[in-house]
Amino acid sequence: TTRPPEVVQFADNLISMGRVVVAVSGTIEEGFELRKNIDWPGRPALYLGLGLCRGAKMYFDLKEEGCREYDEQKPERVNPAMVLTGNAKDANLYSIYLVDERACLGALLGEPRYLSMAPDALRIDLDDALTSIQVKNYARAQCDKNAQLKSCAVLCVVCCFAGACRLEAAPPFEIRADGTRITQFKKSLTIFAGFSNVESIDTNSIEFKNAVARALQDAAKKHEKNSEAIYATDTMTPRLSCSPISDQDLTLILKKAGCYDNFLPYINPVKAEPFNFPFENSLSPDTTALLVIDLQRDFTDAGGYMAAMGYDVTPLAKPLSTVAKVLSACRAKKIRIIHTRQGYRPDLADCPSHTRQRFISLCGIDIGTTTGPLGKVLIRDQPGWQLNDSVRPFATESIVDKTACDAFLFTDLELILRTWGITNLIFCGNTLDVCVHSTLRHASDLGFQNLLLQDCCGAVSPSLHNAMIESVQVESGIFGTVANADDFITALDRVC
């Protein structure tokens, strides 16, 4: 059946990390109408072959009026219910697929029956002759084992509550001398319908469908109608289980329910102004990155570029200890970290001539020539260009070198963030009014959600610092929202 719209929307919003191996049985197998449900646009399910899985017994569910899949125009409609028994002699021949994880999740969302995907309930018998050679080879290759591997667990579709429906035991197509009873949907359904040619039967033929319908009707007569309402499968029953809820809708629902304040620390965990962060989505290491902007000795140390300009670098060095705390917290929670460095090539090929002339005329500083205690100011590989020791990057952390105030301009910063799947950015560094602010505003235009840690940023004067904070917060946080480092760290400890 067609997946409900909310299920399609939910799966569409997911980012696939790859494929998973899934064992399925029933109308989702090759040759049946729902086979397409485990495909994903551009990434169809890959059929590996058959795998004999032990520990589950096949039943046919007898659909009755009120079931979401009940259709009086299609009396032949039937699905298998694989009920876990834990008995190795209950065996079923599953179809084994490599499925895009989004399709894997969406395949069962919206299902009217009591189905689940169990990762460890069944094992594929890799020694059995009915298990396809390709399945055996693949399983041993993925598990990095040789031919000695006898079995392996597999994610499989099972019925998790047999008492909720009327079930008819599926006939086995093979009973072995040791008592093993083997079922397989097509073969067992063919036998159930009264045919003997299990290999050649056309399951789409009118003859086959009519025979199945008669067999189901006969079986239904043997079962008393369940006297209790099967509310989970009633067509009028509202469903919570497979309706994805956006963060905005969740906020509205929780407020309507009167319990919004109870969950606020987990929905938008960072206390900030004018809104808690993040506004949408979650504070997760998978989607969050810390940007440490230009905490170089040229900006924080006496004898560097800012000192040569005549500024007191005390307010620029003040955030260093707080940034170090934030770095430690982010590293502990596996938050991605990117450092930036401002500076020009030694030959000044990337320094606009008017920039150099402006510094000479107004400040008496000649970029590339003027030398101080930390070497030539704003020149790469000079002592002043290096990041301050208190916030020195780990080897696993990225560094983006830039020449513009905006760290996105002429760099690969955006590419790195998009590759990582980052949506939330945390900002700290120097100077708040120039490079931090320029980068933050560009990030806002690129669609990132921005959090500025105000006590982790330096400016040469309190008035300038306050003005920049206010400019981020205007128009209900047009460029982002503002928090203190302690509130951010507290939120990390709570949700990550």
Side-chain angles (χ1 to χ4, degrees):
T1 54
T2 303
R3 301 256 68 80
E6 68 270 17
V7 173
V8 175
Q9 177 189 358
F10 177 75
D12 281 345
N13 290 335
L14 298 176
I15 299 174
S16 176
M17 300 301 292
R19 297 181 188 267
V20 293
V21 179
V22 183
V24 302
S25 184
T27 53
I28 211 165
E29 293 185 72
E30 298 295 313
F32 288 92
E33 58 179 330
L34 301 185
R35 164 61 183 79
K36 61 182 181 299
N37 280 4
I38 55 173
D39 287 335
W40 189 259
R43 287 169 67 87
L46 305 179
Y47 177 61
L48 285 174
L50 298 174
L52 186 72
C53 297
R54 298 178 180 272
K57 185 175 181 178
M58 178 185 284
Y59 292 83
F60 296 135
D61 63 337
L62 306 178
K63 304 181 191 308
E64 55 189 308
E65 189 174 355
C67 171
R68 287 194 182 104
E69 290 188 338
Y70 176 79
D71 186 350
E72 62 180 359
Q73 302 300 319
K74 295 183 178 180
E76 76 281 1
R77 177 171 284 176
V78 63
N79 298 94
M82 299 305 306
V83 178
L84 296 175
T85 66
N87 187 343
K89 293 183 179 180
D90 291 326
N92 184 66
L93 202 54
Y94 275 84
S95 290
I96 312 298
Y97 291 92
L98 283 165
V99 181
D100 184 287
E101 60 184 351
R102 293 166 294 188
C104 179
L105 177 60
L108 288 189
L109 286 175
E111 273 285 355
R113 295 168 295 123
Y114 290 82
L115 297 184
S116 180
M117 284 193 177
D120 296 317
L122 297 182
R123 291 187 294 177
I124 303 176
D125 188 337
L126 299 178
D127 274 348
D128 198 275
L130 291 178
T131 299
S132 302
I133 293 295
Q134 186 165 264
V135 171
K136 296 178 180 181
N137 292 341
Y138 179 89
R140 287 163 176 156
Q142 179 172 320
C143 297
D144 196 24
K145 300 290 185 180
N146 56 27
Q148 300 304 312
L149 182 65
K150 304 293 185 181
S151 65
C152 62
V154 64
L155 183 65
C156 59
V157 179
V158 296
C159 180
C160 54
F161 183 39
C165 10
R166 298 182 302 169
L167 300 179
E168 175 75 9
F173 71 86
E174 181 181 338
I175 300 177
R176 293 180 175 172
D178 65 355
T180 298
R181 301 166 296 276
I182 304 174
T183 55
Q184 196 265 343
F185 182 62
K186 179 181 176 181
K187 293 181 179 181
S188 296
L189 187 59
T190 300
I191 297 170
F192 176 69
F195 295 93
S196 57
N197 51 333
V198 295
E199 299 294 344
S200 59
I201 191 71
D202 179 5
T203 57
N204 292 313
S205 68
I206 298 298
E207 179 189 13
F208 180 79
K209 291 180 179 179
N210 288 340
V212 170
R214 288 193 298 270
L216 291 171
Q217 291 169 0
D218 292 341
K221 293 176 182 178
K222 297 187 300 182
H223 292 262
E224 292 184 0
K225 186 176 177 66
N226 195 325
S227 60
E228 296 182 2
I230 306 175
Y231 62 88
T233 58
D234 189 277
T235 55
M236 302 304 293
T237 303
R239 291 174 293 162
L240 295 178
S241 57
C242 55
S243 298
I245 305 169
S246 68
D247 288 337
Q248 299 100 314
D249 288 343
L250 181 59
T251 296
L252 295 175
I253 294 169
L254 290 176
K255 286 181 177 179
K256 185 177 180 180
C259 55
Y260 176 70
D261 290 342
N262 297 338
F263 296 95
L264 180 60
Y266 301 94
I267 300 170
N268 310 116
V270 183
K271 182 181 179 182
E273 292 293 340
F275 54 85
N276 286 357
F277 181 88
F279 188 76
E280 286 185 342
N281 303 321
S282 60
L283 184 65
S284 164
D286 295 331
T287 57
T288 304
L290 174 70
L291 293 186
V292 185
I293 306 293
D294 299 356
L295 286 182
Q296 300 159 257
R297 298 183 66 194
D298 260 339
F299 296 92
T300 61
D301 291 16
Y305 158 69
M306 292 299 287
M309 292 275 287
Y311 292 111
D312 178 9
V313 297
T314 302
L316 301 181
K318 184 179 178 181
L320 288 172
S321 60
T322 310
V323 173
K325 287 171 51 181
V326 171
L327 281 168
S328 179
C330 287
R331 286 162 179 160
K333 301 298 182 179
K334 309 300 182 184
I335 300 290
R336 304 269 196 172
I337 299 171
I338 299 178
H339 304 258
T340 72
R341 293 183 297 205
Q342 174 80 15
Y344 300 105
R345 291 160 51 106
D347 62 3
L348 302 182
D350 52 0
C351 180
S353 61
H354 67 82
T355 299
R356 185 180 181 189
Q357 292 303 317
R358 175 168 54 84
F359 275 96
I360 293 173
S361 300
L362 301 180
C363 309
I365 295 175
D366 186 2
I367 297 174
T369 300
T370 299
T371 302
L374 298 180
K376 297 177 181 179
V377 297
L378 296 182
I379 297 299
R380 295 182 182 182
D381 295 325
Q382 295 293 303
W385 176 76
Q386 303 295 338
L387 295 170
N388 191 284
D389 285 342
S390 63
V391 293
R392 184 178 295 277
F394 282 9
T396 55
E397 296 166 5
S398 297
I399 300 176
V400 172
D401 289 318
K402 64 189 184 67
T403 57
C405 300
D406 175 4
F408 288 101
L409 196 61
F410 309 131
T411 73
D412 55 1
L413 175 57
E414 182 182 3
L415 176 61
I416 294 172
L417 296 174
R418 301 294 189 200
T419 300
W420 289 346
I422 300 299
T423 58
N424 306 325
L425 294 178
I426 316 300
F427 283 85
C428 60
N430 281 332
T431 61
L432 174 56
D433 49 304
V434 183
C435 293
V436 174
H437 213 271
S438 296
T439 305
L440 182 145
R441 292 178 68 143
H442 194 164
S444 176
D445 287 338
L446 291 172
F448 292 99
Q449 295 189 74
N450 300 327
L451 175 66
L452 178 66
L453 301 181
Q454 59 182 343
D455 51 349
C456 290
C457 297
V460 294
S461 72
S463 60
L464 197 55
H465 188 280
N466 294 338
M468 293 300 101
I469 295 297
E470 183 179 357
S471 69
V472 173
Q473 295 173 319
V474 295
E475 299 184 42
S476 301
I478 190 169
F479 299 125
T481 190
V482 180
N484 292 317
D486 285 346
D487 288 330
F488 172 64
I489 293 171
T490 298
L492 278 186
D493 289 338
R494 184 169 58 242
V495 302
C496 293

